[in-house]
Amino acid sequence: MSSEFLKDLTPQLIKWRRTLHAMPELGFMEYITTYRIGKELEKMGFTIFIGKEALKEESRLGVPATADLEAHEKKAIDYGVEQSWLDKMRGGNTGLVATWDTGKKGDHVGFRFDIDALPINESADSAHLPSKHEFASKEKNVMHACGHDGHTAIGLGVAQYISAHSDHLKGRFTLLFQPAEEGGRGARAMTDKGWLDDVDYFYSGHIGIQSLPVGTIAATTPGFLASTKFNVYFKGVSSHAGISPELGKNALLAATTAANNLYGIPRHHDGVTRVNVGKLIAGSGRNIIPEDSYMEIEVRGQTPEIAEYMAEKATRIIQAAANMHDVSCTIEAVGVTEVVVCDKALIPKITEWCASSEFIKEILPAVPVSGSEDVSLMMNRVQKHGGKATYMLFGTQLDYPHHHPQFDFEEEVLLAAVDAYIHILNGGSAI
């Protein structure tokens, strides 16, 4: 039954993906994206909860500056987002939750799909498929370079199946279209709203990460690291670099001292660690002692203890660099992820359920990864309350890595991912 459904749905899946790809939005600024998703779900008959209805406002991390939010809200109005929708999202409260109750006794199954883009300028190279087919990003320095446009399309495909086949399903379904996954900022706000507290089974996943043939899926993904993301502000004193350099306090040197020494944090014998200085802005002119500097950094660890070790060492180094150059510093935690432990008990179930799929050619028990995912907070909440959770991979050839200006994926992966979830729905929920 799913084969014919997916063949009919294929043009719409690709259209959803390409439309989303052409107008990407950064985390907590996905006003138009949320509106587009919600309008599709309304047509399908889902009950939807928008923005402040879907997340706990005070649990958000790394919310953009007010001026940036207001500019994007104006853009949303210009696009045609209804005022009643924008009122629920105003101030960076984006994303939505869609629910469906079949009215028949059964499990409560949850799915999460991330919707945000990255601050990357997409390649205009004619060999780049989105450029070649004219659906590349129309937003300067914003791009779906991690596949979240595909994840959202997959979520809509799953929703369409639930809507069309509710008579053959049982239980309840909750679909979370989550903002601000990048930087580990959005999952806590939805988790703290309580959507997952009575979920029996929870599924999420990612296109790519490792380059695998389309039709290959992984039932679990061991190796995700706990992480903390920091914004760091150094404040010094400006002065003339030639006439009175001794009166200045150089915030740029404090930042570069910190950046260099962060990479010297001793690695931990108990497991994997990571550190990255991803952004540094400082100074205003060659003959001016820099008064201000700003860094964006992250640390990661294989266990909660190692992640805490990395965060403590990073904080100490940053403060020491500020002291060395006699400047002040402010360290702001703007994102967090936890360790992910997928339920291995789901491996044989997913393997059995998906074995009959026309679009899935190989089911791997596990594919190791080493990034971080804020879906970890959702998975851990489900497991804490007695449910089971896993994070899957959906194979595609990757000519360029994630977070690259020429990142893209084979669109056939959309069919394999939706079909995997359809078989999971039927395996665990069918009457």
Side-chain angles (χ1 to χ4, degrees):
M1 181 163 53
S2 66
S3 295
E4 290 304 314
F5 169 82
L6 278 172
K7 288 171 184 175
D8 291 340
L9 186 65
T10 297
Q12 182 63 68
L13 273 176
I14 293 172
K15 182 180 179 180
W16 280 329
R17 182 264 164 144
R18 294 187 178 189
T19 301
L20 291 161
H21 189 91
M23 192 175 286
E25 296 175 292
L26 298 176
F28 293 130
M29 295 190 286
E30 310 99 323
Y31 297 105
I32 297 171
T33 302
T34 299
Y35 181 70
R36 284 173 161 170
I37 296 166
K39 281 300 184 182
E40 294 291 338
L41 293 165
E42 270 191 340
K43 289 188 290 186
M44 297 175 197
F46 277 80
T47 301
I48 61 172
F49 302 85
I50 306 156
K52 295 172 188 176
E53 300 170 339
L55 50 78
K56 191 172 182 180
E57 188 172 8
E58 58 269 30
S59 294
R60 296 170 302 157
L61 295 171
V63 179
T66 300
D68 292 332
L69 294 174
E70 290 176 348
H72 281 75
E73 287 162 11
K74 182 181 183 303
K75 183 180 291 186
I77 289 293
D78 292 342
Y79 172 82
V81 174
E82 297 167 32
Q83 188 67 50
S84 60
W85 285 62
L86 186 59
D87 288 343
K88 295 177 181 179
M89 296 188 284
R90 197 174 295 281
N93 292 282
T94 49
L96 63 84
V97 173
T99 63
W100 189 285
D101 191 338
T102 66
K104 299 180 282 288
K105 186 177 179 180
D107 291 326
H108 183 188
V109 182
F111 295 91
R112 181 278 227 156
F113 310 97
D114 38 8
I115 68 174
D116 58 323
L118 286 154
I120 293 174
N121 202 36
E122 185 159 13
S123 171
D125 192 315
S126 60
H128 180 52
L129 186 75
S131 296
K132 180 178 180 181
H133 292 283
E134 299 183 341
F135 66 93
S137 172
K138 294 179 172 61
E139 301 294 315
K140 185 177 181 182
N141 295 322
V142 185
M143 176 192 173
H144 274 296
C146 201
H148 296 186
D149 50 336
H151 299 171
T152 304
I154 291 165
L156 290 172
V158 172
Q160 184 72 67
Y161 184 85
I162 292 170
S163 173
H165 297 85
S166 181
D167 289 347
H168 303 286
L169 300 171
K170 62 183 179 180
R172 295 184 291 133
F173 307 102
T174 298
L175 280 59
L176 298 93
F177 290 85
Q178 184 212 307
E181 184 280 326
E182 299 293 353
R185 299 178 293 141
R188 173 167 287 169
M190 282 190 162
T191 303
D192 286 354
K193 197 71 171 180
W195 296 107
L196 302 166
D197 290 353
D198 64 348
V199 164
D200 299 298
Y201 294 95
F202 179 82
Y203 301 91
S204 190
H206 210 296
I207 291 170
I209 298 186
Q210 291 197 22
S211 189
L212 297 166
V214 168
T216 303
I217 69 169
T220 62
T221 49
F224 276 121
L225 308 176
S227 70
T228 306
K229 325 292 184 180
F230 295 109
N231 289 349
V232 183
Y233 304 84
F234 293 95
K235 183 70 174 179
V237 176
S238 180
S239 184
H240 194 293
I243 297 174
S244 50
E246 75 283 2
L247 299 180
K249 297 180 179 181
N250 198 314
L252 184 155
L253 289 181
T256 55
T257 298
N260 284 326
N261 283 279
L262 283 166
Y263 285 93
I265 296 175
R267 299 306 178 246
H268 203 288
H269 77 283
D270 281 338
V272 176
T273 60
R274 295 284 191 274
V275 61
N276 188 57
V277 180
K279 186 174 184 178
L280 196 159
I281 300 172
S284 57
R286 72 180 71 253
N287 61 347
I288 305 166
I289 303 295
E291 181 179 13
D292 299 291
S293 62
Y294 168 73
M295 291 198 314
E296 295 181 4
I297 77 160
E298 64 173 16
V299 292
R300 310 186 195 222
Q302 188 173 345
T303 67
E305 295 76 19
I306 297 173
E308 184 178 349
Y309 160 84
M310 292 295 291
E312 185 277 326
K313 293 293 186 185
T315 301
R316 181 179 58 79
I317 286 168
I318 292 164
Q319 187 61 63
N323 293 340
M324 180 184 297
H325 293 279
D326 196 21
V327 305
S328 64
C329 76
T330 301
I331 306 171
E332 179 184 9
V334 294
V336 64
T337 71
E338 298 175 348
V339 172
V340 173
V341 179
C342 297
D343 281 293
K344 292 183 180 179
L346 291 174
I347 294 174
K349 293 180 179 294
I350 292 171
T351 302
E352 176 189 350
W353 293 335
C354 295
S356 61
S357 168
E358 178 182 335
F359 301 96
I360 297 170
K361 308 304 180 187
E362 184 176 14
I363 305 160
L364 303 174
V367 170
V369 296
S370 60
S372 300
E373 247 285 2
D374 72 344
V375 75
S376 55
L377 282 81
M378 295 182 174
M379 294 176 63
N380 290 337
R381 178 66 70 92
V382 169
Q383 292 166 332
K384 179 181 178 182
H385 286 265
K388 295 193 182 327
T390 193
Y391 191 88
M392 302 172 66
L393 289 191
F394 307 109
T396 178
Q397 178 180 320
L398 297 174
D399 294 328
Y400 295 91
H402 294 264
H403 297 200
H404 186 281
Q406 285 185 262
F407 173 82
D408 193 30
F409 57 82
E410 297 172 277
E411 290 179 324
E412 293 83 358
V413 69
L414 303 176
L415 301 177
V418 174
D419 205 34
Y421 287 144
I422 287 174
H423 278 75
I424 287 168
L425 284 170
N426 283 318
S429 174
I431 295 174

